[in-house]
Amino acid sequence: MHIENRYLLKDYNTFGLDIQTDQLIRVRSAEDLDQIISKDFLKEKPYLVLGGGSNLLFTDNFPGLVLKNEILGRDITKEDQDFVWVKLGAGENWHQVVLWAIENDWGGIENLSLIPGTVGAAPMQNIGAYGVELAQVFQSLEAIELEEGNLQVFNGDQCDFGYRYSIFKGELKNKYLITSVTLKLSKKPEFNTSYGAIHNTLQEQGITELSLKAISKAVIAIRESKLPDPRKIGNAGSFFKNPSITKDHFNTIRNEHPTVPGYNLPNNYVKVPAGWLIEQCGWKGKRRGNIGVHKNQALVLVNYGNGHGKDIHKLALDIQASVEQSFNILLTPEVNIVPA
Ligand code: EPU
């Protein structure tokens, strides 16, 4: 186990912020973590478990220990005629795993192509895109409790998945390090093209015969057209969650803005795209020096280079305030802000 002091995290956060942590340790196995726990490292100072850093905004240097989850592995643990169960190391790159599944003709995660980050981060916030959420293919995960070092298995119910939510973002925040995730993938996939944009893109591409690869390619094309590539422009995907409001509230907004998009939810709630609300408030494409709001997707805040986390945070707060003032809706961040 090797401790790296005063480590620069610029390449380890997709906002590309010049942030430093006091210490960094790469966790490559459960045994590495055992050592860290038994030496009481986690009791001495603040710590943070880092995967791909794709859902994180550092507003300052980190005055503690970063545990960089680099646990690898891809194993088939079970297989029958219809399904395959794959156990993945939490440090595996998510998109590479998606491509690997597609090569093997295993369906279920092709709609989640090109999402930045690691496998371990996927259940944390129940990643979702284009009509599919991780919870739909999730079987179980293994995680180590960081105080005593006990390994625990969580099934889907125990993860308490919701929209961009799991228990690891709530009650168990910072209490576990996820070591592996097992997915149940289908050998006889049903293609999910319910999301309008996928359907349209497949048509534009002249695809008549559906395949996992065709869907993945369509998703990649949509993402590339709307979302900035974090390797070129720093960002963490959607900065806020799409809010749910009551139908009455939605109707009040619609009286003034007849084109407001909304998706009906159970119990008379409606989900409204935060990107639309932010765009209505005039923020789309706005730039403040080195940072700003993306020109193709108002839900994405960007760092054009040399931006500061504090400024991005301030921009987010200003956006929040103006959406609240105009629509009486309080947006909640999807990204984790560190320190909170
Ligand atoms: N819209 C605007 N202006 C904008 C952006 C969006 O008016 O600047 C409106 C449009 O009506 C558009 C609608 O919002 O049709 C939905 O936009 P989009 O399809 O881009 O999806 P989103 O709701 O903004 C969510 C996820 C994305 C995911 C896409 C596709 C959240 C917070 N975000 O975005 O996830 O890729 O759907 O499924 O739920 C992420 O979590 O980081 C992420 C990128």
Side-chain angles (χ1 to χ4, degrees):
M1 188 187 57
H2 176 59
I3 301 177
E4 294 170 76
N5 290 309
R6 286 179 296 284
Y7 194 90
L8 202 62
L9 296 174
K10 192 175 169 71
D11 293 337
Y12 289 167
N13 74 103
T14 58
F15 263 119
L17 298 164
D18 268 315
I19 285 297
Q20 187 175 288
T21 173
D22 277 3
Q23 295 185 317
L24 178 132
I25 301 180
R26 294 170 200 280
V27 179
R28 297 196 167 115
S29 64
E31 292 71 42
D32 282 353
L33 193 58
D34 272 350
Q35 276 195 45
I36 295 166
I37 294 170
S38 63
K39 290 189 171 152
D40 279 347
F41 281 174
L42 305 183
K43 293 196 174 127
E44 289 162 11
K45 53 181 81 183
Y47 62 85
L48 173 78
V49 179
L50 189 66
S54 57
N55 204 39
L56 205 61
L57 175 68
F58 285 107
T59 55
D60 215 335
N61 286 332
F62 188 68
L65 170 64
V66 165
L67 300 177
K68 176 88 171 34
N69 192 335
E70 296 187 352
I71 300 172
L72 300 180
R74 299 177 188 179
D75 296 306
I76 297 174
T77 54
K78 190 172 151 188
E79 198 168 354
D80 65 17
Q81 268 189 319
D82 299 325
F83 295 101
V84 56
W85 284 256
V86 289
K87 182 174 176 179
L88 305 160
E92 289 278 342
N93 174 279
W94 174 261
H95 181 58
Q96 293 308 319
V97 166
V98 172
L99 296 179
W100 173 71
I102 292 169
E103 265 168 39
N104 283 289
D105 265 330
W106 301 328
I109 50 177
E110 57 285 353
N111 293 45
L112 304 178
S113 294
L114 211 62
I115 296 186
T118 54
V119 163
M124 262 330 234
Q125 49 152 343
N126 186 20
I127 55 171
Y130 309 106
V132 173
E133 279 188 345
L134 182 90
Q136 291 164 241
V137 291
F138 179 88
Q139 178 69 29
S140 63
L141 63 78
E142 290 179 343
I144 293 178
E145 190 276 322
L146 291 170
E147 214 158 287
E148 300 294 334
N150 299 323
L151 182 88
Q152 211 172 309
V153 179
F154 289 77
N155 65 24
D157 282 347
Q158 290 165 320
C159 290
D160 194 20
F161 289 125
Y163 165 56
R164 292 298 190 279
Y165 178 83
S166 79
I167 196 158
F168 301 101
K169 260 187 126 174
E171 219 178 293
L172 300 185
K173 194 170 174 167
N174 277 332
K175 292 198 166 29
Y176 283 82
L177 182 141
I178 296 173
T179 53
S180 74
V181 179
T182 299
L183 304 181
K184 182 182 171 187
L185 301 177
S186 172
K187 291 183 177 176
K188 297 174 183 162
E190 283 168 29
F191 305 117
N192 184 334
T193 56
S194 58
Y195 204 88
I198 295 194
H199 188 79
N200 299 342
T201 306
L202 287 168
Q203 267 192 339
E204 276 162 33
Q205 294 177 339
I207 307 284
T208 46
E209 208 171 310
L210 284 183
S211 66
L212 298 177
K213 208 171 205 159
I215 293 188
S216 171
K217 275 191 170 168
V219 167
I220 289 172
I222 301 166
R223 289 189 78 96
E224 284 179 341
S225 71
K226 282 195 180 183
L227 300 167
D229 177 351
R231 284 167 304 183
K232 296 182 187 141
I233 303 177
N235 75 92
S238 303
F239 195 91
F240 298 101
K241 292 190 198 184
N242 287 330
S244 302
I245 58 174
T246 62
K247 193 135 213 164
D248 286 348
H249 190 168
F250 181 75
N251 289 337
T252 316
I253 296 175
R254 195 163 53 181
N255 285 341
E256 232 186 284
H257 306 271
T259 59
V260 57
Y263 312 100
N264 285 324
L265 297 174
N267 303 322
N268 272 328
Y269 274 86
V270 181
K271 188 177 268 190
V272 185
W276 183 88
L277 297 166
I278 297 169
E279 182 173 349
Q280 294 303 305
C281 294
W283 290 101
K284 194 169 183 171
K286 273 264 157 70
R287 191 163 172 158
R288 280 184 182 171
N290 289 322
I291 61 156
V293 180
H294 190 53
K295 62 177 183 353
N296 299 336
Q297 218 318 353
L299 194 46
V300 178
L301 305 188
V302 293
N303 171 20
Y304 292 103
N306 300 321
H308 292 289
K310 276 195 177 77
D311 296 334
I312 296 174
H313 192 208
K314 170 78 172 58
L315 176 63
L317 292 172
D318 290 347
I319 290 172
Q320 231 174 5
S322 78
V323 168
E324 191 172 18
Q325 196 185 16
S326 302
F327 295 102
N328 197 18
I329 295 176
L330 181 63
L331 295 179
T332 49
E334 204 228 88
V335 302
N336 293 306
I337 296 165
V338 179

